């Protein structure tokens, strides 16, 4: 089909954008990325700061080379709304900063445990379970950092800068400071008990926790590799994930993540680890429901809808 030149009505949404014109023209076979490029150049801001939605139904116009203007549903004289998202930061950078918190905080508190407030003096040496909890937590977040650097491919390049503070608080304060203080301060946690002093049932709990942790970490890594294979570098297009639990639930990666944290709770016996696990699992369940709705919308009849989004029979 021959390309047509379309005239789009341009309106600001929220904070006005300087130099934003009232109209712009673009070919129907140009990409969404080209529309973003033109609008950003017109306003004199980064293309990553702009968000364009259709006036007809409020749906996002994808900033992608794989979506033509015609495919987005825009027609001649259609109205688009342009929003300035404010200062941006790369998704990859946000993830690195988030996970760096626990990687720094856990060893710091572990090795300065004798000098912390409410720490008995003289303090006893760290127990085997405290040392094991440090190792498991460090390996978990080191794995996340490596996946961020070498595995994950992001559909969006950036997010609002303010999000780095909100997202980091979850990891630096809850997974970092709260868990580390509750586990490593002498006498403050079940993990402070010597492993040799544990009853047989408690020893079985620790062994089961290690099995859960290993299964969760390996399963989570496998699902991340599967998701990576579905997206070419620099592309926002997604494929339908298969295998490694994707046939049963929408996001088995979240289920494996939760399993690993349950394993860490079983090893440490810490209420703080249990609290973080509950918060993280409930948050991931919300994300999984959103992803299920997005899959159904994007893939249509080519996608087999899932009844359970994270854990079969539960959520």
């Amino acid at each position: 089909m021959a390309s047509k030149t379309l005239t789009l009505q341009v309106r600001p949404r929220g904070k006005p954008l300087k130099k934003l014109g009232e109209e712009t023209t673009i070919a129907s076979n140009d990409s969404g990325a080209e529309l973003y490029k033109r609008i950003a150049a017109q306003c004199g801001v980064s293309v990553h700061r702009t968000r364009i939605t259709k006036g007809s139904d409020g749906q996002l116009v994808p900033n992608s080379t794989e979506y033509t203007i015609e495919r987005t549903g825009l027609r001649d004289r259609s109205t688009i709304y342009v929003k300035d998202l404010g200062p941006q930061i790369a998704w990859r950078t946000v993830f690195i900063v988030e996970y760096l918190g626990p990687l720094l905080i856990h060893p710091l508190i572990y090795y300065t445990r004798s000098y912390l407030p409410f720490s008995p003096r003289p303090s006893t040496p760290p127990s085997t379970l405290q040392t094991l909890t440090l190792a498991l937590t460090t390996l978990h977040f080191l794995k996340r950092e490596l996946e961020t650097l070498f595995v994950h491919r992001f559909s969006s390049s950036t997010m609002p800068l303010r999000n780095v503070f909100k997202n980091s608080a979850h990891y630096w304060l809850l997974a970092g400071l709260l868990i580390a203080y509750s586990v490593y301060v002498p006498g403050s946690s079940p993990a402070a008990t010597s492993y040799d002093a544990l009853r047989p049932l408690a020893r079985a709990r620790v062994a089961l926790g290690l099995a859960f942790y290993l299964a969760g970490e390996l399963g989570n890594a496998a699902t991340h590799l599967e998701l990576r294979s579905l997206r070419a570098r620099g592309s926002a297009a997604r494929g339908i994930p298969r295998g490694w639990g994707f046939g049963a639930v929408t996001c088995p990666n979240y289920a494996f993540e939760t399993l690993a944290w349950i394993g860490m709770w079983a090893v440490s016996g810490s209420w703080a680890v249990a609290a973080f696990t509950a918060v993280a699992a409930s948050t991931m369940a919300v994300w999984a429901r959103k992803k299920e709705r997005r899959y159904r919308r994007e893939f249509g009849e080519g996608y087999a809808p899932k009844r359970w989004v994270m854990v079969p029979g539960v959520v």
Side-chain angles (χ1 to χ4, degrees):
M1 183 180 295
S3 176
K4 300 178 182 178
T5 299
L6 308 179
T7 299
L8 303 178
Q9 306 293 322
V10 183
R11 301 289 182 268
R13 185 176 295 281
K15 180 181 177 181
L17 277 161
K18 294 181 179 179
K19 303 179 183 179
L20 181 67
E22 296 185 354
E23 290 185 349
T24 190
T25 58
I26 193 166
S28 60
N29 63 353
D30 275 340
S31 67
E34 177 62 25
L35 177 61
Y36 274 82
K37 182 179 177 181
R38 292 189 185 188
I39 294 294
Q42 185 183 89
C43 299
V45 299
S46 166
V47 69
H48 300 300
R49 286 185 60 146
T50 57
R51 174 186 171 90
I52 302 176
T53 53
K54 296 190 295 181
S56 57
D57 55 14
Q59 286 192 357
L60 176 70
V61 177
N63 181 6
S64 170
T65 58
E66 296 159 0
Y67 277 79
T68 64
I69 297 300
E70 186 173 39
R71 183 180 173 188
T72 65
L74 291 171
R75 300 292 181 262
D76 191 40
R77 312 307 298 179
S78 289
T79 299
I80 59 173
Y81 284 91
V82 181
K83 182 175 182 178
D84 181 2
L85 299 175
Q88 299 289 295
I89 186 172
W91 271 85
R92 199 178 304 277
T93 302
V94 173
F95 276 33
I96 290 173
V97 171
E98 288 176 358
Y99 305 148
L100 185 61
L103 279 174
L104 296 176
I105 292 171
H106 277 259
L108 177 63
I109 292 183
Y110 177 85
Y111 287 109
T112 62
R113 57 201 300 276
S114 300
Y115 306 98
L116 297 174
F118 309 110
S119 177
R121 295 176 175 79
S123 65
T124 57
S127 71
T128 303
L129 294 184
Q130 287 174 320
T131 303
L132 184 58
T133 300
L134 173 66
L136 297 182
T137 306
T138 301
L139 288 172
H140 174 79
F141 286 104
L142 181 60
K143 166 184 168 290
R144 283 197 164 194
E145 292 282 34
L146 293 173
E147 287 176 334
T148 297
L149 291 171
F150 303 111
V151 176
H152 294 325
R153 289 176 176 168
F154 301 96
S155 57
S156 300
S157 299
T158 64
M159 68 165 65
L161 178 61
R162 63 181 179 274
N163 285 5
V164 70
F165 304 103
K166 177 183 67 176
N167 293 13
S168 294
H170 175 73
Y171 290 102
W172 284 64
L173 299 181
L174 295 183
L177 189 61
L178 180 65
I179 290 178
Y181 193 91
S182 73
V183 171
Y184 306 131
V185 170
S188 66
S189 166
T193 304
S194 169
Y195 179 78
D196 294 335
L198 293 178
R199 295 180 178 180
L201 188 60
R203 292 190 183 189
R205 183 202 73 208
V206 172
L208 186 62
L210 287 173
F212 281 2
Y213 176 85
L214 184 61
E217 295 291 353
L218 292 177
N220 182 261
T223 55
H224 285 167
L225 290 172
E226 166 63 16
L227 291 171
R228 181 183 189 274
S229 70
L230 300 175
R231 175 176 289 150
R233 183 179 296 275
S235 172
R238 272 185 289 259
I240 300 176
R242 307 183 190 280
W244 292 104
F246 285 105
V249 296
T250 312
C251 299
N253 49 318
Y254 296 159
F256 285 124
E257 172 86 3
T258 303
L259 183 64
W261 276 102
I262 291 174
M264 281 190 270
W265 166 77
V267 169
S268 67
S270 168
W271 65 268
V273 178
F276 177 80
T277 303
V279 170
S282 59
T283 301
M284 288 186 286
V286 173
W287 294 344
R289 291 190 183 98
K290 291 180 179 178
K291 189 163 290 188
E292 172 66 17
R293 290 195 293 269
R294 187 165 66 242
Y295 281 170
R296 294 183 184 187
R297 183 174 63 250
E298 287 184 7
F299 300 123
E301 295 181 356
Y303 176 73
K306 307 296 189 304
R307 179 182 180 186
W308 309 106
V309 296
M310 197 167 109
V311 181
V314 179
V315 62

